Amino acid sequence: SLNLNDDVFFDKSNNIVVSIDTYNEGKHFLNFKSPALVIKKVIRSSISDLICKGVKPKYYFLSGSGNRKAFTKTNLSKISKSLKEEQKKYNIILGGGDTVFSNKLSFTVTSIGFAKKIVYRNKSNILDDIYVTGNLGDSFLGLLVLKNKIKINNKLSNYFINQYYKPEIKYSLVYYLNKFATSSIDLSDGLIIDLDKLTNNQNNSYQLFFDKIPVSKNLNSVINSKNLLKKNLISKGDDYQVLFTANHKHRSFIKKISSLKKLKITRIGKILNSRHKSSIIDRNGHKIKINSKGYFHTFD
C-alpha cells in the first residue's frame, strides 16, 4: 500500500496496480438529479488515480448503495448507458460489483491496471520543475453554478457544469509520464493541499509562480466580469488534472509531448530545499497568500 501515502496499491512482483474510491451524495457529488453525469464523474475521478501514476486502467468494479428512489428503472438505464460510454472512451472493462440497500446514496469504484513501474508520490528532487495539466478552477465554478451561488449566462453555465461532472482527465499522458516524471498526483482535493502531499515525506519545499497557474478563457472571463479573485478558485479540488515534477532537462521533451498530443501542460513552479519556506509568488516576486488550500478530510 506504499505506506498508505500514495493513490494506489502496487504489487511490483505481479505488475498490478489498484485504487479504490468511495463517493457520497452531498459530499463528493451534489445530488443525483443527473445520474448519467454523476456516473461519469465517479468513473473518471477513479481511473484518474491510475493515470496519474502512468498506468492505463484496464478493469473496474462498481458498487452502489441506495434505495428505490435512487435506483429506479429509468435511472439504472441511464447509469448503464453512461457506463458503456465511459468504457468505450477509456477502453476499460466492468469486472463486477455489488448493490446494497441504503437510504444514503454512495458509489465505490475499484480500478485495476497493470504496469512494471509507476510514478510514485514522494520522489521529487531539489530544483525539479513542477507541472500541471489542463486548467484549474472550472469544476469549482460549476459547483457554484449548481448551488446557485453565482449567476452567469446559460452557455457558460453549461460549460462549467460539464467541467464539474465530466473532468477532462489526461488519458494520453499515461503513455509518457514514466519517461520524465519524478513524482505525481492527481488534483482531487486542491492544488496546494495536493502539492503538500506530493512533498510531505521529503526534506524539501516548493515555489509556485502564481501567474503561470493555468485557468481557462471562460473562467478568466467570469473572474473579470464578476470581480472574483483567481487565488480563491484555483485550489478548491475536483480538477482531476495531473500534478507532476520533472528534471529541467526534460523541458523540451515535455513541450514536444504537449504539442504532439494537444495536451495543455504548464510549468508552474519548482522544488526547493527545506531552507526555503514553501511560497507562491507573483511576477514581481511578491508572495501571495492563498487561504483556501483545498479539501481537508475529517471525520467529525
Side-chain angles (χ1 to χ4, degrees):
S1 62
L2 306 180
N3 294 319
L4 298 178
N5 191 48
D6 215 309
D7 296 305
V8 299
F9 160 81
F10 180 36
D11 182 349
K12 202 170 185 178
S13 60
N14 291 302
N15 300 333
I16 189 169
V17 188
V18 183
S19 75
I20 185 167
D21 290 285
T22 296
Y23 306 87
N24 294 324
E25 183 177 17
K27 180 68 71 172
H28 302 98
F29 57 94
L30 189 61
N31 53 51
F32 206 50
K33 292 179 180 179
S34 303
L37 290 177
V38 169
I39 287 301
K40 287 182 184 293
K41 182 177 182 67
V42 164
I43 296 299
R44 294 187 190 190
S45 55
S46 296
I47 63 174
S48 174
D49 278 343
L50 296 187
I51 290 169
C52 78
K53 301 286 102 180
V55 179
K56 288 188 290 184
K58 182 65 177 177
Y59 304 106
Y60 75 98
F61 293 77
L62 174 66
S63 293
S65 300
N67 55 29
R68 289 186 179 89
K69 184 179 179 181
F71 294 143
T72 63
K73 287 185 178 181
T74 299
N75 282 355
L76 287 173
S77 177
K78 290 177 180 178
I79 289 170
S80 178
K81 182 174 183 291
S82 192
L83 288 175
K84 288 177 181 177
E85 290 170 352
E86 296 304 284
Q87 287 165 192
K88 183 178 180 180
K89 183 177 179 69
Y90 297 108
N91 192 26
I92 53 177
I93 298 168
L94 177 62
D98 194 14
T99 52
V100 177
F101 176 83
S102 172
N103 283 319
K104 291 186 178 181
L105 180 62
S106 71
F107 295 95
T108 295
V109 183
T110 301
S111 304
I112 300 174
F114 301 91
K116 292 182 179 180
K117 64 177 183 177
I118 68 171
V119 183
Y120 293 94
R121 180 180 288 185
N122 296 141
K123 298 287 186 179
S124 62
N125 301 305
I126 304 300
L127 297 183
D128 271 359
D129 293 323
I130 301 172
Y131 291 88
V132 70
T133 64
N135 297 306
L136 306 185
D138 284 348
S139 177
F140 176 65
L141 203 74
L143 181 61
L144 293 183
V145 171
L146 288 167
K147 288 183 172 181
N148 294 313
K149 290 189 175 182
I150 190 169
K151 299 291 183 182
I152 51 179
N153 66 59
N154 288 337
K155 185 177 179 180
L156 280 177
S157 290
N158 290 334
Y159 167 80
F160 290 116
I161 289 171
N162 273 327
Q163 294 301 105
Y164 172 75
Y165 280 121
K166 298 187 290 184
E168 296 176 358
I169 57 177
K170 300 300 183 282
Y171 183 89
S172 59
L173 189 63
V174 77
Y175 298 99
Y176 305 98
L177 205 57
N178 265 303
K179 298 181 185 298
F180 49 71
T182 52
S183 65
S184 69
I185 191 173
D186 70 332
L187 293 180
S188 55
D189 293 331
L191 174 62
I192 307 304
I193 195 170
D194 284 331
L195 184 52
D196 286 340
K197 293 174 192 172
L198 195 73
T199 57
N200 66 1
N201 278 351
Q202 297 182 274
N203 191 27
N204 57 23
S205 61
Y206 59 81
Q207 184 178 73
L208 289 185
F209 312 131
F210 180 75
D211 295 313
K212 296 291 185 180
I213 297 172
V215 296
S216 66
K217 290 181 180 178
N218 285 337
L219 183 57
N220 202 47
S221 70
V222 173
I223 287 173
N224 292 330
S225 64
K226 297 291 184 178
N227 293 318
L228 302 177
L229 295 176
K230 176 182 172 180
K231 70 176 186 176
N232 293 336
L233 302 171
I234 57 171
S235 190
K236 291 290 189 175
D238 267 2
D239 294 303
Y240 296 104
Q241 297 299 324
V242 181
L243 180 73
F244 67 91
T245 58
N247 189 286
H248 66 87
K249 69 181 181 182
H250 293 305
R251 286 181 184 178
S252 60
F253 180 60
I254 293 171
K255 189 174 182 179
K256 181 180 178 181
I257 296 302
S258 176
S259 176
L260 183 67
K261 291 298 178 179
K262 294 181 173 55
L263 284 170
K264 185 174 184 179
I265 304 176
T266 309
R267 180 161 52 94
I268 62 169
K270 58 185 176 182
I271 299 293
L272 302 174
N273 61 45
S274 59
R275 292 196 303 271
H276 299 84
K277 189 175 181 179
S278 293
S279 62
I280 306 163
I281 61 171
D282 64 17
R283 66 185 65 185
N284 297 314
H286 300 138
K287 290 184 178 181
I288 293 176
K289 184 179 180 181
I290 295 183
N291 293 322
S292 179
K293 293 186 175 183
Y295 177 76
F296 288 85
H297 295 265
T298 61
F299 295 92
D300 295 333

